[in-house]
Amino acid sequence: MADVSNDDATLVALFALSTPLKPVLEQLQRAGVPMGSIEVISPLPLQGIEMSRPPRMPLYGLTILGGLAGIGLGVFFTVGTALFYPLMTGGKPIVAPPVVGIIAFENMMLLAIVTTFVTLVLRLRVTGRPPPRDPRIDDGAVALSIDMDARAAQSAVVQTLLNEAGALKITSLLKERARPPAPVAAKQSETGIWLWLGCALATLCSLNACSQDMETQASYQSQEAPRRHSPPGSIPLQSRAAHPASPVMPADQRVAGQRVFQINCVPCHGPSGGGDGPVAGYLRDMPKNLQASHVQRRSAEDLYAVVTEGKDSMPPFRGELSAAERWAVVAYVKTLRAPDNPTGQP
Amino acid sequence: MTTPAPAEEHQIPKINRDLLAPLVTTHWSYFLLVGALACLVAAGAGAWSYQFRTGIGRTNLHPPVFWGVYIASFIFWVGASHSGTFISGVLRLTKAEWRRPITRIAELMTSISLMIATLFVFYHLGRVWRWYYLIPYPNQREIWPNFRSPLMWDAMAVFTYATASTIYLYLPLIPDFALMRDRIEGWRKPLYRALSLGWQGTQQQWQVLETAMRIITPLIVMVMVSVHSIVGWDFGVSLVPAWHSTIFAPYFVVGAVHSGVGLVVIGMYVLRKIYHLEDYIGREHFDKMGKLLLLTTLGLAYLYFAELLTIWYGNIPDHRWVVDALLTGAFAGPFWFMVGCIYVIPLITLTLPAFRHWPLGVMFIGLLINIGMYIERVLLIVPPLAYPRLPFNWDSYAPSWVEMTIVVGSLALAVLLYVLAVKFVPIISIWEEKEGLVHGGRQQ
């Protein structure tokens, strides 16, 4: 058992891990050693002596603050985007409420966890009068380190007390020596880390120089394989445009036009275009008599426009018929004549 | 205060010795392994730089199949990262004593898998050097990331998860770093000193650490669930037949845990074998992990059946095409192989208690599950894309050699990082093992 009598020193007493420490702490307190000057150093969290120091830790509060800031950030990004780009897409604002929720959630978690971590790191670095660590602590011992500042008189009392409690070893350390030489080496390794970070950043920045445009990349062509041919009978989307450039109406379109007419127009306009189809009576406006001269006088483009866009009760055929079919049916309509006026003269 | 029996106390130096041993002694075969892995990684890096120079067209990605093995691997690795959080987070929350020797193994996997998963996002980007367009900051390009897109949610979630899980890996490492700072000499010492943040083991420090872990554990479990849900929504919110389904988010989360737990079992087996950790990782640990795997097998099978049944019963042609292709069509081979790997064989074997106590067997099941889950990820992506609504556009997809090399190289990179990490951190949390010995009544 060591016997030390140094004035301005830290007493470190080593105990077996199985020694009940609570009574020792109570005795020390009774001997007039303030709780605040005792540290219990252990290789694992001890249970039951947490009260040795009041926990001064705003961790929970800071976590919540961090989380709230995260929500704010998420809302700022998403709602801000929606305000700056007031686009309605698919019937919703560009950034709709559920998305705000998702982004806010992720940012909340990010900032909450990072804040907790940063607080922890700061607290660990601040809680420090670290006495040099006895290697025996890690092999299953507990150390009581008592700051004996200006309480030299008590020193002897405390030491006997510790000895009685079963201390394996008591050492006294001068304050100056108690400070570890760590910072220098730590500085070095920190410079190393900064160096690495710098290199990584430089690499990233140099990547920025690789501005190869896509069409100059070698493999661009291989991605642009020929588009497959449409299966027979499918309708190219483009030809549904309302007004394609040139109306072509060769005579043989009459047959094709008649077929289209019989399928699509007869229910309203009647088999010979007389405006007397079977559903004509149910419509709000009567279907036109297509043989009538005022219809026949109209240009093919006009009729094409009617078939494409529809008119009053007549539906548009933009979606149902391709442009060619619409031109064909117009060509057929142009040939419709009343039985009593085969030449079509008014 | 719990007082440990002196007998237990004497085991503490043994714990230090056993668990620090992998860091200080190295067998020659270790360097061989590192060398072999480094070669594979170099091949992968070469393939990537080739794709980098010549363009994303080196992949076989091609409309209508615009997502392939890169995205499948991304999902797989994000899934694999659920190992750590699930095992260590959920078991820490439930204060399960048997978690102690497993948490570090699992947490390391989480961080490494996430790195690999992130890499796959970059492989998949055309002109990847423009990746920073993803970051929301005011810029003269007047380009702003589209928060509406699930891919943007993904970027956010994966970033959050990666940050959080690195922190989560680091926190319980701090006391161990302090131990190594005191015990290990050489080039690692300054690093350990910096990383241990001046840890001494005062009660106040323990309190701060434990509080921080108590706060972060439930948070990271929530982040874990959200991450794979969002990856699931990448698919679920699209209108592609057989993707547009509400089941995707829960299905992805359960699937991720399934492959994650399988991966941890592999890690446990290999590390236990190489470093003779039989005293720490016992047969009962494999039994417990086997039960977890059984749970995830059943859960996943249930969700999978529910999804297929709904599609089959609804009989919507666009959806049926995909399901038919899986069950009887072009993808039937891999599909049924996958069903065997991740459902049938685990179910048959893991229900037997004797099998669960056989480490090699459980490891083998973990391996099967991971092979199966990888195939599952590919089958999840390719068939629905290959059978779009317009039948004339149907197509298929097989990865190009560039894609394959990158996928294999990345797997090698994951293993390599793990192998290197084993030389830098103890693979079993030393102080938690001691805590279990003293407070937790660890049976020896």
Side-chain angles (χ1 to χ4, degrees), chain A residues 16-22 39-57 59-60 63 77-78 81 85 89-90 92-95 99 102-103 105-107 109-110 112-114 116-117 119-121 123-125 127 130-133 135-136 138-140 182 185-186 189-190 193 204 207-208 210-214 217-220 222-225 227-231, chain B residues 1-6 9 12-13 16 52-59 61-63 126-127 129-132 136 142-148 152-153 156-157 159-161 163-164 167 170-171 174-175 178-179 181-183 190-191 193-194 196-212 214-216 219-220 222-223 226-227 230 233 392-395 431 434-435 438-439:
Chain A
L17 196 53
S18 49
T19 320
L21 282 184
K22 208 165 176 177
E39 287 282 12
V40 182
I41 300 162
S42 59
L44 49 103
L46 297 174
Q47 288 172 357
I49 56 163
E50 285 92 351
M51 358 62 74
S52 61
R53 269 193 173 195
R56 289 173 291 120
M57 263 204 322
L59 257 186
Y60 283 100
T63 306
F77 277 148
T78 44
T81 306
Y85 301 87
T89 42
K92 305 172 206 117
I94 183 115
V95 184
V99 180
I102 290 173
I103 303 287
F105 175 85
E106 293 301 335
N107 278 305
M109 288 301 188
L110 180 66
I113 291 175
V114 170
T116 315
F117 177 64
T119 321
L120 165 102
V121 171
R123 294 229 39 110
L124 284 188
R125 301 223 75 149
T127 45
R133 208 166 133 94
R136 276 194 276 173
D138 281 324
D139 280 334
S189 68
E190 270 161 28
I193 293 169
L204 277 182
L207 276 186
N208 196 28
C210 322
S211 171
Q212 220 175 1
D213 279 326
M214 263 194 181
Q217 288 184 338
S219 70
Y220 172 68
S222 73
Q223 236 191 347
E224 292 290 296
R227 196 177 180 281
R228 286 150 190 252
H229 286 294
S230 308
Chain B
M1 174 180 169
T2 355
T3 33
E9 226 171 88
I12 290 184
N16 288 336
F52 204 93
R53 265 187 39 71
T54 55
I56 196 85
R58 290 298 174 227
T59 63
L61 296 175
H62 209 284
R127 291 207 284 165
W129 50 93
R130 293 270 188 256
W131 69 273
Y132 57 86
E142 304 208 336
I143 292 175
W144 189 248
N146 184 4
F147 286 99
R148 178 198 191 89
M152 192 64 207
W153 315 343
M156 288 268 175
F159 178 69
T160 301
Y161 191 41
T163 314
I167 291 175
Y170 179 55
L171 289 191
I174 297 174
L179 172 70
R181 168 197 63 194
D182 296 345
R183 300 260 161 132
L191 270 179
R193 185 175 294 130
S196 60
L197 301 174
W199 180 269
Q200 291 295 321
T202 64
Q203 293 313 296
Q204 213 185 348
Q205 288 179 327
W206 282 117
Q207 262 171 45
V208 182
L209 183 71
E210 293 210 307
T211 316
R214 250 202 311 282
I215 295 175
I216 289 184
L219 295 188
I220 200 169
M222 284 191 267
V223 173
S226 83
V227 170
I230 289 179
W233 288 329
F392 89 91
N393 221 8
W394 286 358
D395 202 346
W431 69 270
K434 291 177 188 169
E435 190 192 24
V438 174
H439 300 314

Side-chain angles (χ1 to χ4, degrees), chain A residues 284-296:
Chain A
R284 211 164 7 93
D285 328 274
M286 279 306 281
K288 283 278 157 63
N289 175 359
L290 299 180
Q291 304 159 352
S293 53
H294 68 272
V295 174
Q296 290 297 331

Side-chain angles (χ1 to χ4, degrees), chain A residues 9-86:
Chain A
T10 305
L11 274 186
V12 180
L14 211 62
F15 289 90
L17 196 53
S18 49
T19 320
L21 282 184
K22 208 165 176 177
V24 183
L25 290 173
E26 282 164 6
Q27 278 174 335
L28 281 174
Q29 223 169 351
R30 254 173 279 145
V33 181
M35 262 318 201
S37 60
I38 306 177
E39 287 282 12
V40 182
I41 300 162
S42 59
L44 49 103
L46 297 174
Q47 288 172 357
I49 56 163
E50 285 92 351
M51 358 62 74
S52 61
R53 269 193 173 195
R56 289 173 291 120
M57 263 204 322
L59 257 186
Y60 283 100
L62 281 178
T63 306
I64 293 174
L65 276 187
L68 289 178
I71 296 180
L73 190 70
V75 170
F76 169 76
F77 277 148
T78 44
V79 174
T81 306
L83 290 180
F84 271 112
Y85 301 87

Side-chain angles (χ1 to χ4, degrees), chain A residues 214-258:
Chain A
M214 263 194 181
E215 66 272 18
T216 64
Q217 288 184 338
S219 70
Y220 172 68
Q221 293 306 325
S222 73
Q223 236 191 347
E224 292 290 296
R227 196 177 180 281
R228 286 150 190 252
H229 286 294
S230 308
S234 55
I235 303 166
L237 221 62
Q238 273 75 12
S239 76
R240 289 173 194 228
H243 302 287
S246 66
V248 270
M249 282 193 289
D252 64 319
Q253 277 199 343
R254 202 184 169 277
V255 186
Q258 183 175 22

Side-chain angles (χ1 to χ4, degrees), chain B residues 17-250:
Chain B
R17 250 195 331 275
D18 286 355
L19 298 185
L20 287 180
L23 290 114
V24 286
T25 54
T26 306
H27 195 246
W28 59 267
S29 56
Y30 177 86
F31 296 104
L32 204 69
L33 178 65
V34 169
L37 288 171
C39 289
L40 283 177
V41 173
W48 191 23
S49 68
Y50 175 64
Q51 180 192 302
F52 204 93
R53 265 187 39 71
T54 55
I56 196 85
R58 290 298 174 227
T59 63
N60 277 350
L61 296 175
H62 209 284
V65 184
F66 45 80
W67 284 355
V69 286
Y70 290 160
I71 298 294
S73 306
F74 167 73
I75 302 172
F76 176 82
W77 285 108
V78 175
S81 75
H82 282 49
S83 51
T85 326
F86 184 78
I87 298 286
S88 106
V90 173
L91 297 186
R92 269 210 181 101
L93 275 185
T94 53
K95 299 211 165 63
E97 272 300 318
W98 62 274
R99 70 164 197 273
R100 293 183 188 278
I102 305 176
T103 47
R104 177 73 45 76
I105 295 179
E107 285 158 11
L108 262 181
M109 280 183 184
T110 299
S111 294
I112 293 176
S113 316
L114 272 175
M115 283 181 220
I116 305 295
T118 314
L119 271 181
F120 273 99
V121 175
F122 289 98
Y123 299 151
H124 188 78
L125 288 181
R127 291 207 284 165
V128 49
W129 50 93
R130 293 270 188 256
W131 69 273
Y132 57 86
Y133 283 14
L134 268 173
I135 304 174
Y137 67 99
N139 55 66
Q140 128 275 30
R141 304 185 300 277
E142 304 208 336
I143 292 175
W144 189 248
N146 184 4
F147 286 99
R148 178 198 191 89
S149 159
L151 301 181
M152 192 64 207
W153 315 343
D154 238 5
M156 288 268 175
V158 171
F159 178 69
T160 301
Y161 191 41
T163 314
S165 64
T166 311
I167 291 175
Y168 188 64
L169 166 71
Y170 179 55
L171 289 191
L173 261 171
I174 297 174
D176 284 355
F177 278 139
L179 172 70
M180 295 185 288
R181 168 197 63 194
D182 296 345
R183 300 260 161 132
I184 293 180
E185 299 297 324
W187 61 271
R188 287 172 288 189
K189 200 173 175 90
L191 270 179
Y192 287 145
R193 185 175 294 130
L195 287 170
S196 60
L197 301 174
W199 180 269
Q200 291 295 321
T202 64
Q203 293 313 296
Q204 213 185 348
Q205 288 179 327
W206 282 117
Q207 262 171 45
V208 182
L209 183 71
E210 293 210 307
T211 316
M213 279 170 57
R214 250 202 311 282
I215 295 175
I216 289 184
T217 309
L219 295 188
I220 200 169
V221 171
M222 284 191 267
V223 173
M224 167 193 94
V225 173
S226 83
V227 170
H228 229 39
S229 299
I230 289 179
V231 176
W233 288 329
D234 284 348
F235 299 87
V237 299
S238 74
L239 291 177
V240 173
W243 279 359
H244 187 61
S245 158
T246 53
I247 213 162
F248 263 65

